[in-house]
Every structure is written in C-alpha cells, then in structure tokens.
Amino acid sequence: MIRIGQGWDNHRLAAGKRLVLGGVEISFDRGLVGHSDADVLLHAIIDALLGGAGLTDIGSQFPDTDPAYAGVSSLALLEKTKALLAAAGCQVVNIDSTILAQQPKLAPYLPLMAERIGAALGLPRERVSVKAKTSEGLGPVGQGLSLEAMAVVLLEQR
C-alpha cells in the first residue's frame, strides 16, 4: 500500500537561541524557540512521516511536556521516528520539503540538510528534497519573526 503524509511547523525567532535546520547549525543572530532544538524542517518532516503512517503526530509521540525531550536534537527524534515507521511496516520512498525564511539565506546549507535527513532515515540523498523560499516580506516569516517548513512524504506499507 502507498501512503502519503504532509507536515507543517513554525517557530518564532529570538535572540540568544541556536538556529538549527535540517540538523545543520546555521550562523545567524537569532534562533528558533522550542522545547527541543526547534528544528522546524525536521518537525514538519516528522509530522509528515507519522501522519502518513497513521501514527498521530510529533506532539503525541514526543510531547513538549516530557522533560526527556528538552533541548533534544530533532535528528534524534527523526531516528526514533524511523523506528516507529519500521514497527508499523512503513518504509520511506521519498521526501519533498520547503523551508520558508526571509533571512538567513539558506541555499548553501540545503545539500547538507538533505544529506543529514537521508542519513538519519537510511535514504539515498537523491530521495530527499529540501528547498528554501522567502515570503516576499509578507507575514511573520517575511517580517523576520518566525520560520516555517512544510513537507510531503511518500511511504510504502507492507
């Protein structure tokens, strides 16, 4: 059976925080606020994977009320998600994702993000797409207040 999942996440930007996207730390004057490392890209991908497999969502599997996940790397959550998918008989076919960010410019980091996502899921690099777009100055992303990410995944279930 073929299954499709979609995910979306956003976090606000704040001074004094690290900016981690796709498991890559990016030098920037602000970072994302969240219980874990607040990696919006990985959170959107995790939600897409869990939803596609019928395993609820990131908040149900890795609740922000659980101190075990305080400051955790979202790459570690992605690896745990891979195990949940395997237990459900699901295998990732491919991932297509987009980060919405007015600043910083992300193009130089996108290949490494895709590589890290693929490594965490055991996928070849060519099956992971990571893109970045601005929001043309519109809304909270365009005003530099937040970042967003969206993902769509294709799964095969035995």
Side-chain angles (χ1 to χ4, degrees), residues 4 31 36 62 94 101 105 107 114 142 150-151:
I4 297 171
S36 65
F62 313 110
N94 75 302
K105 296 297 180 191
M150 300 174 277

Side-chain angles (χ1 to χ4, degrees), residues 23-155:
V24 177
E25 188 159 350
I26 297 168
S27 179
F28 192 54
D29 65 344
R30 289 164 287 145
L32 295 168
V33 177
H35 185 67
S36 65
D37 63 6
D39 187 328
V40 293
L41 177 59
L42 294 186
H43 292 185
I45 290 170
I46 291 168
D47 255 354
L49 293 168
L50 292 170
L55 299 172
T56 65
D57 62 16
I58 192 171
S60 298
Q61 295 291 339
F62 313 110
D64 63 5
T65 54
D66 187 337
Y69 301 120
V72 71
S73 164
S74 293
L75 276 174
L77 299 180
L78 186 59
E79 290 168 354
K80 289 177 184 263
T81 300
K82 179 185 176 191
L84 292 169
L85 293 175
C90 290
Q91 182 176 346
V92 182
V93 175
N94 75 302
I95 298 170
D96 184 26
S97 61
T98 305
I99 306 165
L100 298 165
Q102 197 67 36
Q103 289 291 325
K105 296 297 180 191
L106 299 173
Y109 302 98
L110 300 178
L112 182 56
M113 290 179 199
E115 187 178 303
R116 292 208 175 147
I117 293 163
L121 293 171
L123 292 175
R125 160 66 187 90
E126 62 271 10
R127 289 172 48 192
V128 179
S129 170
V130 180
K131 306 174 299 292
K133 305 289 182 196
T134 69
S135 63
E136 303 296 327
L138 299 173
V141 171
Q143 295 168 12
L145 301 174
S146 65
L147 299 184
E148 296 181 17
M150 300 174 277
V152 178
V153 302
L154 184 63
L155 305 172

